[in-house]
Amino acid sequence: MVTECCISGFQWDGTPIGSEGRIADNNAYIVGDSNKVAILVIADLFGWSFTNTRLLCDAYAAETPATVYMPDFFGGQVIDPAIIANTNRWNEFDLEEWSKQNAKDVRWLEILGVARALRAKYDKVGVIGYCYGGWSLFRLGDKNLNGLVDCISTAHPTWLTRDEIDTIGVPVQICAPEIDAAFTPELKAYANEVIPTKGVPYDYQYFHGVEHAFATRGNLEDERERRAMVRAKRAMVAWMREWLRGED
């Protein structure tokens, strides 16, 4: 059963300026021209071709600046973004089957391989992840990977566990909406209790009155959602600049 937070929201107008290429064994949206700093963006279930997330990649590339890679981690499966605005079409998408095809044990080595390829090529590597990207970037920031990535930032993470929070070993930022069935109040509280004990820089950004997916599918015609989306983008850029370039 598809829930509203998984596929609701709005598609934004705009034309992404990057190109499609490859990283490791994955197709990827690539934008930016830095040869020292890279950002890996791990998309939500709308994947690497979704216009909204590509526009965000463009912003991260220009404002950090960095070369940004958003790979296809879903085996070529693409959801029609028109589903977002049409609740009558939600039954076209089988979330349970999608979750099986893209489960952690299915995609983790693929995600790890891309991160290792970026580390081999760039001096600094940050990771930004939305929804599905939330659990995976915490794993990439695991202390046992010895600094594979330099920092992570997530908005409305999904599938994130306490165990993954427990092993964080790099600077971490969370952009958390007030209303979120995936990143629950209990998990928010756990993150805020545990991460400050891990000896890593931590930035927790709370977004009153907005819901899961606000950072990637917010309604730009709604002032509260628009301001929250812009604030999240600015916060993520600042986090990347601080830990990848030593700038605030």
Coordinates of all heavy atoms in Angstrom, one line a residue, residues 103-184:
A103 N 16.0 -3.2 -1.6 CA 16.3 -3.4 -0.2 C 17.7 -3.1 0.1 O 18.6 -3.1 -0.8 CB 15.9 -4.8 0.2
K104 N 18.0 -2.9 1.4 CA 19.4 -2.5 1.8 C 20.4 -3.6 1.3 O 21.5 -3.2 0.7 CB 19.5 -2.4 3.3 CG 18.7 -1.2 3.8 CD 18.9 -1.1 5.3 CE 18.1 0.1 5.9 NZ 18.3 0.2 7.4
D105 N 20.1 -4.9 1.5 CA 21.1 -5.9 1.1 C 21.2 -6.0 -0.4 O 22.2 -6.6 -0.9 CB 20.7 -7.2 1.7 CG 19.3 -7.8 1.3 OD1 18.6 -7.0 0.7 OD2 19.0 -8.9 1.7
V106 N 20.3 -5.5 -1.2 CA 20.3 -5.5 -2.6 C 21.2 -4.4 -3.1 O 22.0 -4.6 -4.0 CB 18.9 -5.4 -3.2 CG1 19.0 -5.3 -4.8 CG2 18.1 -6.6 -2.8
R107 N 21.1 -3.2 -2.6 CA 21.8 -2.0 -3.1 C 23.0 -1.6 -2.4 O 23.8 -0.7 -2.9 CB 20.8 -0.9 -3.2 CG 19.5 -1.1 -4.1 CD 19.9 -1.4 -5.5 NE 18.8 -1.6 -6.3 CZ 18.8 -2.1 -7.6 NH1 20.0 -2.3 -8.1 NH2 17.7 -2.3 -8.3
W108 N 23.3 -2.1 -1.2 CA 24.3 -1.5 -0.4 C 25.7 -1.6 -1.1 O 26.4 -0.6 -1.1 CB 24.4 -2.2 1.0 CG 25.7 -1.8 1.7 CD1 26.6 -2.7 2.2 CD2 26.2 -0.5 2.1 NE1 27.6 -2.0 2.8 CE2 27.4 -0.7 2.7 CE3 25.7 0.8 1.9 CZ2 28.1 0.4 3.2 CZ3 26.4 1.8 2.3 CH2 27.6 1.7 3.0
L109 N 26.1 -2.7 -1.6 CA 27.4 -2.9 -2.2 C 27.6 -1.9 -3.4 O 28.7 -1.4 -3.7 CB 27.7 -4.3 -2.6 CG 27.9 -5.3 -1.4 CD1 28.2 -6.7 -1.9 CD2 29.0 -4.8 -0.5
E110 N 26.5 -1.7 -4.1 CA 26.4 -0.8 -5.3 C 26.7 0.6 -4.8 O 27.5 1.3 -5.4 CB 25.1 -0.9 -5.9 CG 24.9 -0.3 -7.3 CD 23.5 -0.6 -7.8 OE1 22.9 -1.5 -7.4 OE2 23.1 0.2 -8.7
I111 N 26.1 1.0 -3.8 CA 26.2 2.4 -3.2 C 27.7 2.5 -2.7 O 28.3 3.6 -2.9 CB 25.2 2.6 -2.1 CG1 23.8 2.7 -2.7 CG2 25.5 3.9 -1.4 CD1 22.7 2.6 -1.7
L112 N 28.1 1.5 -2.0 CA 29.5 1.5 -1.4 C 30.5 1.7 -2.6 O 31.5 2.4 -2.5 CB 29.7 0.3 -0.6 CG 31.1 0.1 0.0 CD1 31.4 1.3 1.0 CD2 31.2 -1.2 0.7
G113 N 30.3 0.9 -3.7 CA 31.2 1.0 -4.8 C 31.3 2.4 -5.4 O 32.4 2.8 -5.8
V114 N 30.2 3.1 -5.5 CA 30.2 4.4 -6.1 C 31.0 5.3 -5.1 O 31.8 6.2 -5.6 CB 28.8 4.9 -6.3 CG1 28.8 6.4 -6.6 CG2 28.2 4.2 -7.4
A115 N 30.8 5.2 -3.8 CA 31.5 6.1 -2.9 C 33.0 5.8 -2.9 O 33.8 6.8 -2.9 CB 31.0 5.8 -1.5
R116 N 33.4 4.6 -3.1 CA 34.8 4.3 -3.2 C 35.4 4.8 -4.5 O 36.6 5.3 -4.5 CB 35.0 2.8 -3.1 CG 34.9 2.2 -1.7 CD 34.9 0.7 -1.6 NE 35.0 0.3 -0.2 CZ 34.8 -1.0 0.2 NH1 34.4 -1.9 -0.7 NH2 34.9 -1.3 1.5
A117 N 34.7 4.8 -5.6 CA 35.1 5.4 -6.8 C 35.3 6.9 -6.7 O 36.3 7.4 -7.2 CB 34.2 5.0 -7.9
L118 N 34.4 7.5 -6.0 CA 34.6 9.0 -5.8 C 35.8 9.3 -4.9 O 36.5 10.2 -5.1 CB 33.3 9.6 -5.3 CG 32.1 9.6 -6.2 CD1 30.8 10.1 -5.5 CD2 32.4 10.4 -7.4
R119 N 35.9 8.5 -3.9 CA 37.1 8.7 -2.9 C 38.4 8.6 -3.7 O 39.4 9.3 -3.4 CB 37.0 7.8 -1.8 CG 38.2 7.8 -0.9 CD 38.5 9.2 -0.3 NE 37.6 9.6 0.7 CZ 37.6 10.8 1.2 NH1 38.2 11.8 0.6 NH2 36.7 11.1 2.2
A120 N 38.5 7.7 -4.6 CA 39.7 7.5 -5.4 C 40.0 8.6 -6.3 O 41.2 8.8 -6.7 CB 39.6 6.2 -6.2
K121 N 39.0 9.4 -6.7 CA 39.1 10.4 -7.7 C 39.2 11.8 -7.1 O 39.8 12.7 -7.7 CB 37.9 10.3 -8.6 CG 38.0 11.3 -9.8 CD 36.8 11.0 -10.8 CE 36.9 11.9 -12.0 NZ 35.8 11.7 -13.0
Y122 N 38.6 12.0 -5.9 CA 38.5 13.4 -5.4 C 39.2 13.5 -4.0 O 39.2 12.5 -3.2 CB 37.1 13.8 -5.3 CG 36.4 14.0 -6.6 CD1 35.8 12.9 -7.2 CD2 36.4 15.2 -7.3 CE1 35.2 13.1 -8.5 CE2 35.8 15.4 -8.5 CZ 35.2 14.3 -9.1 OH 34.6 14.5 -10.3
D123 N 39.6 14.7 -3.6 CA 40.2 14.9 -2.3 C 39.2 14.9 -1.2 O 39.5 14.4 -0.1 CB 41.0 16.3 -2.3 CG 42.1 16.3 -3.3 OD1 42.6 15.2 -3.6 OD2 42.5 17.4 -3.6
K124 N 38.0 15.4 -1.5 CA 37.0 15.5 -0.5 C 35.7 15.0 -1.1 O 35.3 15.3 -2.3 CB 36.7 17.0 -0.1 CG 37.9 17.6 0.7 CD 38.0 17.0 2.1 CE 39.0 17.7 3.0 NZ 39.0 17.2 4.4
V125 N 34.9 14.2 -0.3 CA 33.6 13.6 -0.8 C 32.6 13.8 0.3 O 32.8 13.4 1.5 CB 33.8 12.1 -1.1 CG1 32.5 11.5 -1.5 CG2 34.9 11.9 -2.1
G126 N 31.5 14.5 0.0 CA 30.4 14.6 0.9 C 29.2 13.8 0.3 O 29.2 13.5 -0.9
V127 N 28.2 13.5 1.1 CA 27.0 12.8 0.7 C 25.8 13.5 1.1 O 25.7 13.9 2.3 CB 27.0 11.3 1.2 CG1 25.9 10.5 0.5 CG2 28.3 10.6 1.0
I128 N 24.8 13.7 0.2 CA 23.5 14.2 0.6 C 22.5 13.1 0.2 O 22.5 12.6 -0.9 CB 23.2 15.5 -0.2 CG1 24.1 16.6 0.3 CG2 21.8 15.9 -0.1 CD1 24.0 17.9 -0.5
G129 N 21.6 12.9 1.1 CA 20.6 11.8 0.8 C 19.2 12.2 1.2 O 19.0 12.8 2.3
Y130 N 18.2 11.9 0.4 CA 16.8 12.2 0.7 C 16.1 10.9 0.9 O 16.2 10.0 0.1 CB 16.2 13.0 -0.4 CG 16.9 14.3 -0.8 CD1 17.7 14.3 -1.9 CD2 16.7 15.4 0.0 CE1 18.3 15.5 -2.2 CE2 17.4 16.6 -0.3 CZ 18.2 16.6 -1.4 OH 18.8 17.8 -1.8
C131 N 15.2 10.8 1.9 CA 14.4 9.6 2.1 C 15.2 8.3 2.0 O 15.9 8.0 3.0 CB 13.3 9.6 1.0 SG 12.0 8.4 1.2
Y132 N 15.1 7.6 0.9 CA 15.9 6.3 0.8 C 17.4 6.6 1.0 O 18.1 5.7 1.6 CB 15.7 5.8 -0.6 CG 16.4 4.5 -1.0 CD1 15.8 3.3 -0.8 CD2 17.7 4.5 -1.5 CE1 16.4 2.1 -1.1 CE2 18.4 3.3 -1.8 CZ 17.7 2.1 -1.6 OH 18.4 1.0 -1.9
G133 N 17.9 7.8 0.6 CA 19.3 8.1 0.8 C 19.7 8.2 2.2 O 20.9 8.2 2.6
G134 N 18.7 8.3 3.2 CA 19.1 8.6 4.6 C 19.8 7.4 5.2 O 20.8 7.6 5.9
W135 N 19.3 6.2 5.1 CA 19.9 5.1 5.7 C 21.3 4.8 5.1 O 22.3 4.5 5.8 CB 19.1 3.8 5.6 CG 19.0 3.2 4.2 CD1 18.0 3.5 3.3 CD2 19.9 2.3 3.6 NE1 18.3 2.8 2.1 CE2 19.4 2.1 2.3 CE3 21.1 1.7 4.0 CZ2 20.1 1.3 1.3 CZ3 21.7 0.9 3.1 CH2 21.2 0.7 1.8
S136 N 21.4 5.0 3.8 CA 22.6 4.7 3.1 C 23.8 5.6 3.4 O 24.9 5.2 3.5 CB 22.4 4.5 1.6 OG 21.6 5.6 1.1
L137 N 23.5 6.9 3.5 CA 24.6 7.8 3.8 C 25.1 7.6 5.3 O 26.3 7.8 5.6 CB 24.2 9.3 3.5 CG 23.1 10.0 4.2 CD1 23.5 10.4 5.6 CD2 22.7 11.2 3.4
F138 N 24.2 7.2 6.2 CA 24.7 6.9 7.5 C 25.6 5.7 7.5 O 26.6 5.7 8.2 CB 23.5 6.6 8.5 CG 23.1 7.8 9.3 CD1 22.2 8.7 8.8 CD2 23.6 7.9 10.6 CE1 21.9 9.8 9.5 CE2 23.2 9.0 11.4 CZ 22.3 10.0 10.8
R139 N 25.3 4.7 6.6 CA 26.3 3.6 6.5 C 27.6 4.1 5.9 O 28.6 3.6 6.3 CB 25.6 2.5 5.6 CG 24.6 1.7 6.3 CD 24.3 0.4 5.6 NE 23.3 -0.4 6.3 CZ 23.0 -1.6 5.9 NH1 23.6 -2.2 4.8 NH2 22.0 -2.3 6.5
L140 N 27.5 5.0 4.9 CA 28.8 5.5 4.3 C 29.6 6.2 5.3 O 30.8 6.3 5.2 CB 28.5 6.3 3.1 CG 27.9 5.6 1.9 CD1 27.5 6.6 0.8 CD2 28.8 4.6 1.3
G141 N 29.0 6.8 6.3 CA 29.7 7.6 7.3 C 30.0 6.7 8.5 O 30.4 7.3 9.6
D142 N 29.9 5.4 8.4 CA 30.2 4.5 9.5 C 31.7 4.7 9.9 O 32.6 4.7 9.1 CB 29.9 3.1 9.1 CG 30.0 2.1 10.2 OD1 31.0 2.1 11.0 OD2 29.0 1.3 10.4
K143 N 31.9 4.8 11.2 CA 33.3 4.9 11.7 C 34.2 3.8 11.3 O 35.4 4.0 11.1 CB 33.3 5.0 13.3 CG 32.8 3.8 14.0 CD 32.7 4.0 15.5 CE 32.2 2.7 16.1 NZ 32.0 2.9 17.6
N144 N 33.6 2.6 11.0 CA 34.4 1.5 10.6 C 34.9 1.5 9.2 O 35.8 0.7 8.8 CB 33.7 0.2 10.9 CG 33.3 -0.1 12.3 OD1 34.2 0.0 13.2 ND2 32.1 -0.2 12.7
L145 N 34.4 2.5 8.4 CA 34.9 2.7 7.1 C 36.0 3.7 7.0 O 36.5 4.1 5.9 CB 33.7 3.1 6.2 CG 32.7 2.1 5.9 CD1 31.5 2.6 5.0 CD2 33.3 0.8 5.3
N146 N 36.4 4.2 8.2 CA 37.7 5.0 8.3 C 37.7 6.2 7.4 O 38.7 6.5 6.7 CB 38.9 4.1 8.0 CG 39.0 3.0 8.9 OD1 38.9 3.1 10.1 ND2 39.3 1.8 8.4
G147 N 36.6 7.0 7.4 CA 36.5 8.2 6.7 C 36.4 8.1 5.2 O 37.0 8.9 4.4
L148 N 35.6 7.1 4.8 CA 35.4 6.9 3.3 C 34.8 8.2 2.7 O 35.1 8.6 1.6 CB 34.4 5.7 3.1 CG 34.0 5.5 1.6 CD1 35.2 5.2 0.7 CD2 32.9 4.4 1.6
V149 N 33.9 8.8 3.5 CA 33.4 10.1 3.1 C 33.7 11.1 4.2 O 33.9 10.7 5.3 CB 31.8 10.1 2.8 CG1 31.6 9.1 1.7 CG2 31.1 9.7 4.0
D150 N 33.6 12.4 3.8 CA 34.1 13.4 4.8 C 32.9 14.0 5.6 O 33.1 14.5 6.7 CB 34.8 14.6 4.0 CG 36.1 14.1 3.4 OD1 37.0 13.9 4.2 OD2 36.1 13.9 2.2
C151 N 31.7 13.9 5.1 CA 30.5 14.5 5.8 C 29.3 13.9 5.1 O 29.3 13.5 4.0 CB 30.5 16.0 5.8 SG 30.4 16.8 4.2
I152 N 28.2 14.0 5.9 CA 26.9 13.5 5.3 C 25.8 14.5 5.7 O 25.9 15.2 6.8 CB 26.5 12.1 5.8 CG1 26.4 12.0 7.3 CG2 27.5 11.1 5.3 CD1 25.8 10.7 7.8
S153 N 24.8 14.6 4.9 CA 23.6 15.4 5.2 C 22.4 14.8 4.7 O 22.3 14.4 3.5 CB 23.7 16.8 4.6 OG 22.6 17.6 4.9
T154 N 21.3 14.6 5.5 CA 20.1 14.0 5.0 C 18.9 14.8 5.4 O 18.8 15.5 6.4 CB 19.9 12.6 5.6 OG1 18.8 12.0 5.1 CG2 19.8 12.6 7.1
A155 N 17.9 14.8 4.5 CA 16.6 15.3 4.7 C 15.6 14.2 4.8 O 15.6 13.3 3.9 CB 16.2 16.4 3.7
H156 N 14.7 14.2 5.8 CA 13.7 13.2 6.0 C 14.1 11.8 5.6 O 13.6 11.1 4.7 CB 12.4 13.5 5.2 CG 12.5 14.2 3.9 ND1 12.8 13.6 2.7 CD2 12.4 15.5 3.6 CE1 12.9 14.4 1.7 NE2 12.6 15.6 2.2
P157 N 15.1 11.2 6.4 CA 15.6 9.9 6.1 C 14.5 8.8 6.3 O 13.7 8.9 7.2 CB 16.7 9.7 7.1 CG 16.4 10.6 8.2 CD 15.7 11.8 7.6
T158 N 14.7 7.7 5.5 CA 13.8 6.6 5.6 C 14.6 5.3 5.8 O 15.8 5.2 5.4 CB 12.9 6.4 4.3 OG1 12.1 7.6 4.2 CG2 12.0 5.2 4.3
W159 N 14.0 4.3 6.5 CA 14.7 3.0 6.7 C 15.9 3.2 7.7 O 16.6 2.2 7.9 CB 15.1 2.3 5.5 CG 14.0 1.9 4.6 CD1 12.7 2.0 4.8 CD2 14.1 1.2 3.3 NE1 11.9 1.5 3.8 CE2 12.8 1.0 2.9 CE3 15.2 0.8 2.6 CZ2 12.5 0.3 1.6 CZ3 14.9 0.1 1.4 CH2 13.6 -0.1 0.9
L160 N 16.1 4.3 8.2 CA 17.3 4.5 9.1 C 17.0 3.8 10.4 O 15.9 3.8 11.0 CB 17.5 6.0 9.4 CG 18.6 6.4 10.3 CD1 19.9 6.0 9.7 CD2 18.6 8.0 10.5
T161 N 18.0 3.1 11.0 CA 17.9 2.3 12.2 C 18.8 2.9 13.3 O 19.7 3.7 13.0 CB 18.3 0.9 12.0 OG1 19.7 0.8 11.7 CG2 17.5 0.3 10.8
R162 N 18.5 2.5 14.5 CA 19.3 2.9 15.6 C 20.8 2.4 15.5 O 21.7 3.1 15.9 CB 18.7 2.5 17.0 CG 17.4 3.1 17.3 CD 16.9 2.7 18.7 NE 15.6 3.5 19.0 CZ 15.2 3.7 20.2 NH1 15.9 3.2 21.3 NH2 14.1 4.4 20.5
D163 N 20.9 1.2 15.0 CA 22.3 0.7 14.8 C 23.1 1.5 13.9 O 24.3 1.7 14.1 CB 22.2 -0.8 14.3 CG 21.7 -1.7 15.4 OD1 21.7 -1.4 16.5 OD2 21.3 -2.9 15.0
E164 N 22.5 2.0 12.8 CA 23.2 2.9 11.8 C 23.5 4.2 12.5 O 24.6 4.8 12.2 CB 22.3 3.0 10.6 CG 22.3 1.8 9.7 CD 21.1 1.7 8.8 OE1 20.2 2.5 8.9 OE2 21.1 0.8 7.9
I165 N 22.7 4.7 13.3 CA 23.0 6.0 14.0 C 24.1 5.7 15.0 O 25.0 6.6 15.1 CB 21.7 6.5 14.8 CG1 20.7 7.0 13.8 CG2 22.1 7.6 15.7 CD1 19.3 7.3 14.4
D166 N 24.1 4.6 15.6 CA 25.1 4.3 16.7 C 26.6 4.3 16.1 O 27.5 4.6 16.9 CB 24.9 2.9 17.3 CG 23.7 2.9 18.2 OD1 23.2 4.0 18.6 OD2 23.2 1.8 18.5
T167 N 26.8 4.0 14.9 CA 28.1 3.8 14.4 C 28.6 5.0 13.5 O 29.6 4.9 12.8 CB 28.2 2.5 13.5 OG1 27.3 2.6 12.5 CG2 28.0 1.3 14.4
I168 N 27.9 6.2 13.6 CA 28.3 7.3 12.8 C 29.7 7.8 13.2 O 30.1 7.8 14.4 CB 27.3 8.4 12.9 CG1 27.6 9.5 11.9 CG2 27.2 9.0 14.3 CD1 27.4 9.0 10.4
G169 N 30.5 8.1 12.2 CA 31.9 8.5 12.5 C 32.4 9.8 11.7 O 33.6 10.1 11.7
V170 N 31.4 10.5 11.1 CA 31.8 11.7 10.3 C 30.8 12.8 10.7 O 29.7 12.5 11.2 CB 31.8 11.4 8.8 CG1 32.8 10.3 8.4 CG2 30.4 11.1 8.3
P171 N 31.1 14.1 10.4 CA 30.2 15.1 10.6 C 28.8 14.8 9.9 O 28.8 14.5 8.7 CB 30.8 16.4 9.9 CG 32.3 16.1 10.1 CD 32.4 14.6 9.9
V172 N 27.7 15.0 10.7 CA 26.4 14.6 10.2 C 25.4 15.8 10.4 O 25.4 16.4 11.5 CB 26.0 13.3 10.9 CG1 26.0 13.4 12.4 CG2 24.6 12.9 10.4
Q173 N 24.6 16.0 9.4 CA 23.5 17.0 9.5 C 22.2 16.3 9.1 O 22.1 15.4 8.2 CB 23.8 18.1 8.4 CG 22.7 19.1 8.4 CD 22.9 20.1 7.3 OE1 22.9 19.8 6.1 NE2 23.1 21.4 7.6
I174 N 21.2 16.6 9.9 CA 19.8 16.1 9.6 C 18.8 17.2 9.5 O 18.8 18.1 10.4 CB 19.3 15.1 10.8 CG1 20.3 13.9 10.9 CG2 17.9 14.7 10.5 CD1 19.9 13.0 12.1
C175 N 18.1 17.2 8.4 CA 17.0 18.2 8.2 C 15.7 17.4 8.4 O 15.3 16.6 7.5 CB 17.1 18.8 6.8 SG 18.6 19.8 6.5
A176 N 15.0 17.7 9.5 CA 13.9 16.9 9.9 C 12.6 17.7 9.9 O 12.5 18.6 10.7 CB 14.2 16.4 11.4
P177 N 11.6 17.2 9.1 CA 10.3 17.9 9.2 C 9.6 17.5 10.4 O 9.8 16.4 11.0 CB 9.6 17.3 7.9 CG 10.2 16.0 7.7 CD 11.7 16.2 8.1
E178 N 8.7 18.3 10.9 CA 7.9 18.0 12.0 C 7.0 16.7 11.8 O 6.9 15.9 12.7 CB 6.9 19.2 12.4 CG 6.0 18.9 13.6 CD 5.1 20.1 13.9 OE1 5.0 21.0 13.0 OE2 4.4 20.0 14.9
I179 N 6.5 16.6 10.6 CA 5.5 15.5 10.4 C 6.2 14.5 9.5 O 6.4 14.8 8.3 CB 4.2 16.1 9.7 CG1 3.6 17.2 10.5 CG2 3.2 15.0 9.4 CD1 2.7 18.1 9.8
D180 N 6.5 13.3 10.0 CA 7.2 12.3 9.2 C 7.0 10.9 9.8 O 7.4 10.6 10.9 CB 8.7 12.7 9.3 CG 9.5 11.9 8.2 OD1 9.0 10.8 7.8 OD2 10.6 12.4 7.9
A181 N 6.3 10.1 9.1 CA 6.0 8.7 9.5 C 7.2 7.9 9.4 O 7.3 6.8 10.1 CB 4.9 8.1 8.7
A182 N 8.2 8.2 8.7 CA 9.4 7.4 8.5 C 10.5 7.8 9.6 O 11.1 6.9 10.2 CB 10.0 7.6 7.1
F183 N 10.8 9.1 9.7 CA 11.7 9.6 10.8 C 10.9 10.0 11.9 O 10.5 11.2 12.1 CB 12.6 10.7 10.2 CG 13.8 11.0 11.0 CD1 14.6 10.1 11.6 CD2 14.1 12.4 11.3 CE1 15.7 10.4 12.4 CE2 15.2 12.7 12.0 CZ 16.0 11.7 12.6
T184 N 10.5 9.1 12.8 CA 9.5 9.3 13.8 C 10.0 10.2 14.9 O 11.2 10.4 15.1 CB 9.1 7.9 14.4 OG1 10.3 7.4 15.0 CG2 8.5 7.0 13.3

